[in-house]
Amino acid sequence: MTLVIGLTGGIGSGKTTVANLFADYGIDIIDADIIARDVVAPGSDGLQAIVDRLGHDILLTDGQLNRSKLREAIFNDPELKSWLDGLLHPMIRQQMTRQIQQASSPYCLLVVPLMVENRLQTMADRLLVVDVSETVQIARTTARDQVDEAQVRKILAAQASRSQRLAAADDVIDNNGDSHSLRGDVARLHQHYLLLSEQNSPK
Ligand code: ADP
């Protein structure tokens, strides 16, 4: 099977930017955020189960899941949160596995923002962590999203710490620098992963 490189990092660390650079080399990207949206898309078993439990009020008028309403319901009900995790996490893992099996590039990238938090690094052969200082993380996230520093700090507090992520890493990209040095790091890692994928493939 294709060598699987897990890619993770905190909010605003540069996961998407890094994944796009690997995609430029023709590497297949499996994105947990996209899969997490797909498993509750209109017509999905996931959305049907949520409607069965919470009623049609959990839908927007266009039939999409009302995410902010669901977030609020979960916030006030830990039992609902564990029910939802129990429903959706296996669906997400199954879809990730399917996409890994379908990958056709020499290795593939499994991008999971909460990989360490959800212990999903077991689905990857190696873990690549994109690391930045908190200062850089806050500056880039506030510049990208319509959020202030306090909101970013709240999100940071709910995520794994830098040291927890780094402790799980096999490879680290330091993304405190500019985009030029990032490109160089990705180029070197790409060569490294190509070599590993050759060793990994059946003789
Ligand atoms: P994530 O997917 O981890 O949340 P992004 O890849 O979206 O992070 O990066 C966060 C923001 O920082 C984006 O606006 C991106 O363009 C910018 N960014 C990423 N890496 C760099 C870099 N090395 N130099 C400057 N800006 C960067």
Side-chain angles (χ1 to χ4, degrees), residues 65-83:
L65 178 62
N66 186 337
R67 288 167 185 283
S68 55
K69 195 164 185 176
L70 183 62
R71 253 196 310 275
E72 208 176 298
I74 287 169
F75 187 74
N76 296 314
D77 185 350
E79 197 269 324
L80 177 64
K81 165 137 180 40
S82 54
W83 174 80

Side-chain angles (χ1 to χ4, degrees), residues 13-199:
S13 58
K15 295 176 295 295
T16 309
T17 310
V18 168
N20 288 339
L21 291 171
F22 278 102
D24 288 346
Y25 289 108
I27 296 306
D28 291 333
I29 310 294
I30 297 150
D31 186 322
D33 278 349
I34 294 175
I35 293 175
R37 277 198 294 273
D38 285 349
V39 298
V40 293
S44 65
D45 293 345
L47 188 60
Q48 188 57 52
I50 293 170
V51 171
D52 287 347
R53 167 129 182 181
L54 297 173
H56 282 86
D57 283 356
I58 202 66
L59 299 178
L60 296 166
T61 46
D62 65 359
Q64 301 269 349
L65 178 62
N66 186 337
R67 288 167 185 283
S68 55
K69 195 164 185 176
L70 183 62
R71 253 196 310 275
E72 208 176 298
I74 287 169
F75 187 74
N76 296 314
D77 185 350
E79 197 269 324
L80 177 64
K81 165 137 180 40
S82 54
W83 174 80
L84 196 66
D85 286 349
L87 171 76
L88 299 181
H89 285 187
M91 289 181 176
I92 293 170
R93 276 198 300 273
Q94 202 177 39
Q95 188 56 26
M96 282 175 177
T97 305
R98 194 170 307 149
Q99 291 191 15
I100 289 169
Q101 285 164 347
Q102 286 167 353
S104 58
S105 52
Y107 64 91
C108 66
L109 223 58
L110 178 64
V111 186
V112 187
L114 299 180
M115 174 106 68
V116 173
E117 292 82 344
N118 290 324
R119 294 188 175 80
L120 285 173
Q121 62 266 41
T122 51
M123 292 190 69
D125 297 300
R126 290 180 78 81
L127 181 61
L128 169 59
V129 167
V130 189
D131 182 56
V132 286
S133 72
E134 238 177 54
T135 314
V136 168
Q137 200 174 6
I138 290 168
R140 287 185 185 156
T141 306
T142 51
R144 183 194 60 187
D145 302 338
Q146 301 302 320
V147 289
D148 61 22
E149 177 173 342
Q151 285 168 291
V152 182
R153 285 199 183 279
K154 234 191 208 165
I155 296 168
L156 289 190
Q159 296 188 340
S161 66
R162 265 177 97 184
S163 58
Q164 283 170 325
R165 237 179 256 115
L166 291 173
D170 296 291
D171 308 301
V172 178
I173 288 182
D174 177 343
N175 190 24
N176 289 300
D178 60 16
S179 55
H180 180 75
S181 72
L182 185 64
R183 259 197 298 277
D185 288 340
V186 171
R188 274 186 292 279
L189 276 168
H190 174 60
Q191 293 306 324
H192 181 50
Y193 293 150
L194 284 179
L195 276 177
L196 288 178
S197 66
E198 279 168 26
Q199 292 161 11

